[in-house]
Amino acid sequence: MHHFPSSTYPEDRAEHPPSFLHDNTYNSPTPPSSSRSSGGSLISMLLRKTVESEQTLQESSAAYYNPEAHISFSALTSPRLVDHHSSTSSKSSSTTMEPLSPASQASTGASPNGAGWNQDWTLELGDRRQAKRARVENIIRGIAVSPPSPSVHCTHGETTPTSDLQSETMENKQEGKRKQRVPQHQDLLRTGGASGKSTDEGHNLKKQLQTMQRLLGYPETEVFMDPYNKLLADILKYELSRAVNSSVDSIFKNISHTLFKPPQLHIKDGGMVETDDEPVFLSSHELASSSTHVDSMSRLPPCSKSGMAQQLPEIQTEALSLVVQKPASMTRPCSLNLTVKRPLHFHQPSLLYNHPTDLQEDHQVLDNLKHNGFHHDTFGKLPCRPTTTGLPTPEMVDLLWDPVKVKSKVTSRPPRSPQVHHPTATGHNVLLDSLGLPHVKMEYGSFQSMVKRTSYVLNEGLTTHHLKKAKLMFFYTRYPSSNVLTAFFSDIQLTRCIMSQLIKWFSNFREFYYIQMEKFARRARVEGVNSVRDVAVSRDSELFRALNMHYNKANDFQVPDRFLEVAEITLQEFYISISLARDSDPSWKKAIYKVISKLDSDVPAEFKAPLTT
DNA sequence: GCCAAGCCTG
DNA sequence: CAGGCTTGGC
């Protein structure tokens, strides 16, 4: 098996029982990711706030949420968050790298596999307020949509509608003309939007609001008399104004992050989540990252964010610098210069029906205004290079609806030195679309099952699916050769740039891996572990959880036992080196790297996937 | 000088 | 995760 080369403690190693006697029945705990995104659509939240106001007015004592939905929500989110901390802290008293207590593990494992809050809107369907929301939504959508003129000034003028969503949105394009000026938010906040420097634009906005209020069933005075509601109204005005001015890009981008949510989710026993429909790519983990990390939305690349804009023939009303990236070639440049972005997905279930905790709500609205609402420039001005193909194929357009691709950073980074290679138009490769969707625990050997063909595309660049695949491959190989990469990423044109990116990915994976190893090795020493024999890695260990969270965030992949063995060896190597004070040598890790590099396994053929059909 | 790998940074 | 830089081997 795997010996323990260069170990300083061969005796320890010899005496150390096989560490891979892991419980096969282990039910992988859900990574402590969590929670819901604190972000979301401003308009959605504002609308909901408005509806809530209505609710308050009409049913002051009634619970807003469907009790059942509320319960589900709580069960889906809160426990895990709490549990994560408790389990982590529970370990602090341990002097070894022992697994967490069964209790904590159990409670953790009982948590759902993320995407918990996604259920909310589903559970609310049928509510009578749904109709009202729908109407309001239509209004908003109408506001946001530009004039119908299809004379798009864009290199992709022949953009082909490919979805119902799209055509549906098209129907709502018959709206009035849009303003050009984009009011500064400071002005809006200062003047209350339609007041002060108000123009006819303000009147229009007010009309829109009045319409909404009527639909919501209460007199407008009721809304604005309350200072709180007035504030919300002001904010709403601001948002509407932005939409009216064909500057909904940022809003669009904000909501697009969440609008691509799965159309339907079901909670399975044990908290696992699965979907009826295929396009489920936006996991709660991904969303969680946006809340735990600094405003990830603001960091989303413009190309990916504005990608869906090319789905509709648009009218160019101004010379915006927004660029669109061809989704099928995320890392490749794009030449689209569409200038009008529309919230095509306003009608989709989204945060409109998502209900973050109430108390946070108010702050979220304002915070989003401050932090999310004004990233227009950030979104729109980052460079994006032209595509090599110029025109999007229907498949490409179709891919625009892939939320992962659209939202992912992976899609944005152009290759360092873009080599203009012309895609072989006949290269009907298949996307590993389902890489982004499996929320069901899958077996090691069933990787194939998550490789499904959804469309024929010409993959010129790496997508988030490739990234996810690469991460899973890391469980087998830490140092993949270029041959392996070539073999397992045959669905994309492995240019030098792409290959470099793949290599870089694995380099980053290793970096994280070794950082964790060092951290936990040092922690073990601090906590009093005095023998390498006590250094072990199991699926229960915090180290594994961290790694699993990083490489298998959705926790939908059964990590091979061999990886745990390698991880344990790595941890032990670090432990040994640190114990011997080798870390005083600047290159002390290299010896470890050399050891670990010999522990690679073959990547299952399933990962090659049937990329062509 | 080139290149791969690693390190640092954002 | 990716860009930039350094390092070390050739």
Side-chain angles (χ1 to χ4, degrees):
Chain A
M1 293 297 284
H2 58 290
H3 59 293
F4 196 42
S6 79
S7 173
T8 314
Y9 298 156
E11 63 283 0
D12 285 339
R13 166 65 65 180
E15 296 171 12
H16 188 52
S19 58
F20 31 92
L21 299 177
H22 301 304
D23 181 10
N24 288 333
T25 64
Y26 168 78
N27 184 13
S28 298
T30 300
S33 77
S34 92
S35 70
R36 302 150 292 159
S37 168
S38 61
S41 165
L42 284 175
I43 287 184
S44 297
M45 287 188 288
L46 288 165
L47 283 175
R48 183 166 60 73
K49 264 303 177 190
T50 307
V51 174
E52 287 177 353
S53 296
E54 169 204 25
Q55 179 71 17
T56 301
L57 290 170
Q58 296 180 354
E59 311 169 24
S60 58
S61 62
Y64 177 77
Y65 303 119
N66 177 319
E68 187 176 335
H70 197 200
I71 289 173
S72 298
F73 176 83
S74 301
L76 282 168
T77 56
S78 304
R80 173 141 46 93
L81 292 175
V82 174
D83 178 70
H84 171 55
H85 294 299
S86 64
S87 62
T88 300
S89 59
S90 70
K91 191 180 182 313
S92 60
S93 59
S94 172
T95 56
T96 66
M97 304 294 285
E98 292 304 313
L100 298 175
S101 69
S104 64
Q105 179 188 340
S107 58
T108 303
S111 297
N113 188 15
W117 58 271
N118 285 346
Q119 281 77 34
D120 277 355
W121 61 266
T122 304
L123 293 170
E124 284 201 359
L125 291 177
D127 191 297
R128 65 177 185 83
R129 292 175 195 80
Q130 185 82 11
K132 286 184 179 178
R133 287 202 189 96
R135 288 196 295 271
V136 175
E137 214 177 38
N138 273 327
I139 291 177
I140 295 297
R141 197 189 325 158
I143 293 171
V145 169
S146 311
S149 171
S151 59
V152 188
H153 178 79
C154 92
T155 55
H156 292 174
E158 47 196 297
T159 301
T160 307
T162 57
S163 72
D164 294 334
L165 295 177
Q166 200 168 345
S167 56
E168 184 176 337
T169 305
M170 297 283 279
E171 296 173 2
N172 292 278
K173 292 171 64 181
Q174 312 303 318
E175 284 292 326
K177 64 178 180 181
R178 303 288 167 257
K179 296 292 181 177
Q180 268 70 49
R181 174 168 116 34
V182 180
Q184 298 297 311
H185 70 275
Q186 292 91 344
D187 292 343
L188 285 164
L189 293 178
R190 220 172 16 240
T191 63
S195 64
K197 304 177 182 179
S198 69
T199 61
D200 52 347
E201 162 185 316
H203 296 308
N204 291 336
L205 290 171
K206 193 169 183 178
K207 273 194 168 186
Q208 298 287 356
L209 284 171
Q210 290 170 345
T211 303
M212 292 174 56
Q213 290 152 14
R214 282 195 300 273
L215 289 172
L216 291 173
Y218 52 74
E220 61 181 296
T221 53
E222 224 174 332
V223 176
F224 291 103
M225 281 179 63
D226 178 77
Y228 172 74
N229 284 330
K230 188 176 192 319
L231 172 61
L232 291 177
D234 288 344
I235 296 172
L236 180 55
K237 286 175 186 174
Y238 163 72
E239 286 297 324
L240 289 171
S241 176
R242 299 206 316 164
V244 168
N245 285 283
S246 300
S247 297
V248 297
D249 302 50
S250 59
I251 299 174
F252 183 24
K253 290 158 192 164
N254 281 343
I255 61 173
S256 69
H257 188 66
T258 51
L259 287 178
F260 284 113
K261 284 208 191 60
Q264 189 152 24
L265 294 172
H266 297 305
I267 306 169
K268 296 175 63 181
D269 292 342
M272 299 298 290
V273 176
E274 70 176 67
T275 64
D276 274 343
D277 301 310
E278 183 171 285
V280 178
F281 297 109
L282 195 57
S283 71
S284 65
H285 309 291
E286 292 162 331
L287 290 169
S289 67
S290 67
S291 61
T292 54
H293 294 70
V294 182
D295 189 9
S296 67
M297 278 303 296
S298 67
R299 298 176 355 189
L300 286 176
C303 289
S304 59
K305 284 172 172 249
S306 55
M308 60 292 286
Q310 59 181 292
Q311 291 168 99
L312 291 177
E314 305 283 6
I315 181 170
Q316 180 166 353
T317 59
E318 53 189 310
L320 301 180
S321 59
L322 291 172
V323 288
V324 182
Q325 181 159 4
K326 185 171 62 180
S329 58
M330 298 312 179
T331 59
R332 297 203 58 76
C334 59
S335 62
L336 293 180
N337 236 330
L338 303 185
T339 57
V340 179
K341 310 299 181 295
R342 297 167 186 170
L344 304 181
H345 314 293
F346 254 119
H347 58 296
Q348 282 191 325
S350 68
L351 284 185
L352 280 171
Y353 309 116
N354 176 36
H355 304 281
T357 52
D358 290 317
L359 289 180
Q360 297 173 345
E361 195 71 20
D362 304 338
H363 299 295
Q364 283 181 9
V365 173
L366 296 176
D367 286 347
N368 278 321
L369 273 181
K370 284 186 283 186
H371 299 117
N372 285 341
F374 306 112
H375 288 169
H376 217 221
D377 290 344
T378 305
F379 288 158
K381 293 181 180 173
L382 292 179
C384 205
R385 286 173 236 166
T387 61
T388 56
T389 53
L391 298 176
T393 65
E395 292 79 17
M396 292 171 179
V397 174
D398 190 38
L399 285 170
L400 288 170
W401 297 94
D402 182 329
V404 172
K405 295 197 203 84
V406 170
K407 73 176 273 294
S408 172
K409 244 182 139 179
V410 177
T411 67
S412 70
R413 301 279 182 118
R416 192 174 300 187
S417 54
Q419 301 172 342
V420 180
H421 63 88
H422 299 282
T424 59
T426 56
H428 287 166
N429 295 321
V430 178
L431 261 190
L432 295 176
D433 270 352
S434 53
L435 274 172
L437 74 83
H439 287 268
V440 185
K441 193 91 175 177
M442 65 183 165
E443 293 303 322
Y444 148 82
S446 66
F447 180 88
Q448 186 92 29
S449 68
M450 64 188 240
V451 178
K452 293 197 305 180
R453 184 181 71 84
T454 58
S455 63
Y456 289 103
V457 296
L458 189 61
N459 281 322
E460 297 176 71
L462 297 168
T463 67
T464 49
H465 302 302
H466 294 109
L467 175 59
K468 182 172 182 178
K469 175 179 173 178
K471 285 183 173 180
L472 296 181
M473 287 175 63
F474 186 78
F475 285 127
Y476 299 91
T477 174
R478 270 61 59 187
Y479 296 86
S481 66
S482 58
N483 287 338
V484 168
L485 295 177
T486 300
F488 285 86
F489 291 91
S490 59
D491 63 321
I492 57 177
Q493 299 205 359
L494 284 182
T495 64
R496 222 173 116 190
C497 289
I498 299 299
M499 181 60 76
S500 295
Q501 189 176 359
L502 276 173
I503 292 172
K504 182 66 176 178
W505 279 2
F506 277 88
S507 175
N508 287 332
F509 298 162
R510 286 193 299 271
E511 189 172 31
F512 178 83
Y513 177 82
Y514 288 126
I515 287 173
Q516 297 302 310
M517 292 298 169
E518 180 178 0
K519 182 174 77 176
F520 279 85
R522 293 189 184 281
R523 184 185 298 183
R525 283 184 50 78
V526 168
E527 293 181 350
V529 177
N530 51 27
S531 170
V532 71
R533 286 174 296 184
D534 295 326
V535 176
V537 176
S538 72
R539 294 179 189 270
D540 297 330
S541 64
E542 196 175 342
L543 171 58
F544 174 78
R545 294 185 185 206
L547 296 172
N548 190 54
M549 175 58 90
H550 190 73
Y551 308 115
N552 182 27
K553 190 167 282 188
N555 197 30
D556 51 11
F557 184 77
Q558 183 68 33
V559 179
D561 288 341
R562 174 59 176 165
F563 176 76
L564 286 126
E565 300 169 19
V566 174
E568 183 168 294
I569 294 170
T570 308
L571 183 62
Q572 290 171 338
E573 287 293 326
F574 269 89
Y575 175 88
I576 293 168
S577 293
I578 294 171
S579 298
L580 295 178
R582 287 175 181 169
D583 53 344
S584 58
D585 179 359
S587 58
W588 66 286
K589 294 178 183 175
K590 288 192 175 182
I592 300 176
Y593 297 163
K594 188 174 181 180
V595 171
I596 305 307
S597 67
K598 297 174 181 175
L599 302 180
D600 277 6
S601 304
D602 290 336
V603 180
E606 284 81 357
F607 280 81
K608 289 181 179 177
L611 299 177
T612 58
T613 55

